[in-house]
Amino acid sequence: MAPSPPADLQVLCRKLTSIPQAQLPHALPLLTRHIVRCKDTLAAPQEQKFKDDGSQSAQLVHKLRTSITTLLKGRDREARFAAIGLVKAIIDVGGWEMLRVSEPWVAGLLSIVQKGDSFPAKDLAVATLARIYILVQPYQTLVREIATRTIPTFITACLQLIKPRSTGQDPSAPLSVVETICDAFSTLIPIYATTFRPFSSQIRSAVRGYLAPTLSDDLLIPLSLQRAARKVVISLHCVAAKSGGSEEWAKIVDSLLRELHATADQVLRAVDESWEGTSGYNRKRVNPEGESSGGSNSGDQLPPWSGLSSGAERLVGIFAYLSDCLRYPTKAPVVIPVGALLDAISRVCLIARQSPKCQTWDQAVETNAAIGREEKAELWAAIPDIHMSALALISVMLQRFRQGMIPLIPEVLDHLVRVFKSGISNPAVRMTGYRLLNNVLPLAGPTMSRATVSVLEPLIAACCRDLQEDAGFLKAIPKAATASKNDSKKSGLANADLFLQPQASSVETSVHLDAAHKGAADDLLAAFLSSLPQHHLKPTLRGLLDKTAILTQNRDAMLSSVLNPYKDQRGRMYPSILPHLSQQYPQDQGVEILRSNLRTSSVPGSIDLVASVTEVEQEKQQDEEEEQMGGGDEPIDKEARATESLQDMVKPAVPKVDLPIQSNPFEVKATASNAFNVATVTRHDSVTKRKHEDADTAPSKRQEVNKSAPANLSEPVPAAEDDDDSDSDVSVHLNMELDDDEEEEDE
């Protein structure tokens, strides 16, 4: 007896015929769930369907396809909309078995895109057609039968929706539909480049108004549509014949750089620039009279604009356009003009204020006397947005080129610090600076010199202040307004709030960062403690970083602080914040592993360098028990034993002496007894070994050893001989201050 077909398939076929067509869109989620559960039956080959469960499953599948085709070509709009969703669900789960019979569905979907259906239905139909064209690409037979025949009709129908009207800039379809079409084009162009080649100029002309929009366009373009349109134009280099794709991509970048400098000539005409081009793009003198303008009416160039605000938006859009050129993949290897990109970035970054608190823009920048105050003020207000777009382009270059950008890091940091100082009062500028520095530190942070680290001090201080303000530890309390007698007499009015108590009249305002801003600052705080050479930091800055990490409960930053201890130029070790980390994250497994490795009571031949209070109490209890059970034995001097324990606790509090260690003070060993192979941080110290050997000596001898320590801490201690004995491996205790790398010895 043949097994029965799936119940979901039976229910699906019954509901498609029983539910009224006007109610099908409401039942679409339920119907798609039934389709997903029928995946195995829909994707099974036709022969297997007859073999497993007879002809019932095949009949139900045929009935399902017929019902959907009838709904797709029917007169009811609600039914057609539901049919589009059902087609996409079946195509996604059915695989080749459903694709080979999808030609009637493709014809029905194209009819919906071409005719007067609702825009949501057109949007869903475009997405479904794009999905079908993508899935048939591996099958050459289906490509010839379905894709090659219908894609030109699909492109023509979509261009009718997105191309601007003859009298205005807005398209005939909503912007959401335009964005869907742009996404579909950018996905299909690399796959069907030959089919899209005749339509390349039409596509570029249709989307040019969305690439870098301005206020002059009278249409607000969302950022998602801007990026989708740029991706379409960038992907058009794939349609070039033979190996011309690289040249087409280079032409796009070159035209954008020329447009950027032409726009900057108009926007920055109020500034007497000191920049000189080094990559073939030079600034030109412009007429100071009239309103600044630019752009072109040509179909392959950006639309015209007028007004300084529109020009600033065009500059921001071009920088974002260049970033997208580097972000999206190309058909073939391309030559990237890194020098020209940095040249354009340096042109706008040179216009900045180094002391914004005590310096105006007119004092910081050489201005053109022929330009009025209103245009200058408008330019100063637009400079931060231009700076952020330039820094965003640098971030994309760092993410794309990685180690290839290391030779250019000094120039990048110079632009970053100058822009950060100029716009430090703007939270968006600070967030952009944090993100850029987060990309720089993993590449060049460990090799930075002391001078380079000192240049980053404004960013360190600003990052800590932002995080402390967000955590509520730095609150801005505005001063209460006070009025003098003369003012009250002159005005004849009295403010009743001034007679209230100071607690009622003063209002505490707390600063809360955006989620993206706080995330960038948190990541940068951890990067400061892990990627920078800690011995190049000033003690006050290192203390500020540790304090901020503790107050904001930043686990990654606190862990980086513990793993990268601080030692100043005089060789003094700063206390570790491991107790704070253990207290705030007692259940964290990573912290527990670190704490367990720093305690060495389980390692043979090792001693605890700092005795805890609990151990002292346990030792006292053992002494009392031994005294009670000792009987006729020699009495134990409890005061002397307690004195010894207290001395052990006090020892780490005195200034530390640089003990002679091996050339590699820290060695990572894998403990064979641990099933997880947890790395144990050990320290080879011959002097500590001698302390261990003297642990059983009399207190008087121990005091003599302590007296023999050198008095001058700044003098170097002669190096000790290396001891390869395994008993000299002394693990670091929980409260021990870890030594840094041997960089201070080199100094």
Side-chain angles (χ1 to χ4, degrees), residues 681-709:
V681 182
T682 59
R683 177 175 179 177
H684 299 281
D685 196 337
S686 58
V687 176
T688 309
K689 178 186 176 184
R690 290 197 297 271
K691 286 187 177 182
H692 185 202
E693 295 174 351
D694 297 340
D696 299 331
T697 58
S700 59
K701 294 183 180 180
R702 190 177 301 173
Q703 293 175 1
E704 292 177 359
V705 174
N706 293 335
K707 292 180 181 179
S708 64

Side-chain angles (χ1 to χ4, degrees), residues 210-490:
Y210 314 123
L211 301 174
T214 63
L215 293 175
S216 302
D217 298 333
D218 297 330
L219 185 64
L220 183 61
I221 307 299
L223 293 177
S224 58
L225 177 55
Q226 295 179 30
R227 296 195 62 179
R230 294 167 192 156
K231 190 174 182 180
V232 171
V233 178
I234 296 170
S235 62
L236 285 176
H237 76 277
C238 298
V239 306
K242 297 182 179 180
S243 60
S246 301
E247 297 179 0
E248 290 296 326
W249 188 90
K251 288 181 180 179
I252 294 175
V253 176
D254 181 72
S255 62
L256 287 176
L257 287 172
R258 295 187 182 279
E259 183 69 20
L260 187 146
H261 287 287
T263 306
D265 292 338
Q266 296 288 334
V267 174
L268 305 178
R269 66 180 185 175
V271 180
D272 188 6
E273 298 182 69
S274 60
W275 172 83
E276 293 293 338
T278 59
S279 302
Y281 307 96
N282 298 319
R283 57 191 179 95
K284 300 178 181 178
R285 294 185 177 275
V286 297
N287 186 8
E289 298 180 358
E291 197 174 32
S292 57
S293 60
S296 174
N297 291 319
S298 176
D300 56 348
Q301 295 183 6
L302 297 176
W305 59 270
S306 61
L308 192 140
S309 297
S310 298
E313 286 186 337
R314 177 58 55 83
L315 274 181
V316 173
I318 294 176
F319 274 118
Y321 200 165
L322 291 171
S323 300
D324 288 340
C325 289
L326 301 179
R327 185 179 289 112
Y328 300 132
T330 57
K331 180 181 179 181
V334 295
V335 179
I336 301 174
V338 178
L341 294 175
L342 285 178
D343 201 20
I345 292 170
S346 63
R347 179 175 184 180
V348 298
C349 290
L350 286 175
I351 304 175
R353 293 185 298 176
Q354 296 303 304
S355 300
K357 292 185 178 180
C358 58
Q359 194 179 36
T360 62
W361 277 104
D362 293 333
Q363 296 173 347
V365 180
E366 294 291 335
T367 59
N368 188 354
I371 305 300
R373 291 183 179 179
E374 293 78 7
E375 183 174 343
K376 292 180 181 178
E378 194 173 357
L379 175 61
W380 308 146
I383 283 294
D385 294 330
I386 301 174
H387 282 168
M388 287 187 291
S389 61
L391 295 183
L393 176 58
I394 298 178
S395 296
V396 175
M397 294 173 65
L398 289 169
Q399 295 170 4
R400 172 61 70 180
F401 305 139
R402 304 302 297 171
Q403 286 80 8
M405 285 289 294
I406 291 179
L408 303 174
I409 291 298
E411 183 177 356
V412 169
L413 290 178
D414 182 57
H415 296 325
L416 170 61
V417 174
R418 182 184 295 107
V419 170
F420 192 86
K421 287 182 178 180
S422 178
I424 194 172
S425 60
N426 191 330
V429 174
R430 298 200 303 272
M431 180 182 67
T432 306
Y434 297 158
R435 289 177 173 175
L436 176 56
L437 193 55
N438 270 324
N439 294 325
V440 171
L441 290 181
L443 295 176
T447 60
M448 286 184 178
S449 62
R450 187 180 301 275
T452 305
V453 174
S454 63
V455 170
L456 300 178
E457 291 180 3
L459 284 89
I460 297 175
C463 178
C464 294
R465 182 174 181 83
D466 280 347
L467 291 175
Q468 291 187 24
E469 284 183 349
D470 181 75
F473 294 100
L474 294 178
K475 295 183 178 180
I477 304 177
K479 297 181 180 179
T482 57
S484 61
K485 291 184 179 180
N486 295 332
D487 295 338
S488 61
K489 290 181 180 179
K490 291 180 181 179

Side-chain angles (χ1 to χ4, degrees), residues 504-538:
S505 60
S506 62
V507 180
E508 294 185 359
T509 58
S510 58
V511 179
H512 294 286
L513 304 177
D514 296 336
H517 190 166
K518 186 177 184 301
D522 284 333
D523 296 341
L524 185 59
L525 180 65
F528 281 141
L529 292 166
S530 61
S531 299
L532 284 180
Q534 297 302 300
H535 57 281
H536 290 341
L537 287 174
K538 294 181 180 178

Side-chain angles (χ1 to χ4, degrees), residues 12 15-16 19 24 27-36 86:
L12 182 61
K15 286 184 177 293
L16 286 179
I19 297 177
L24 284 175
L28 188 58
L30 177 61
L31 298 176
T32 54
R33 284 199 297 269
H34 287 302
I35 291 176
V36 173
L86 294 175

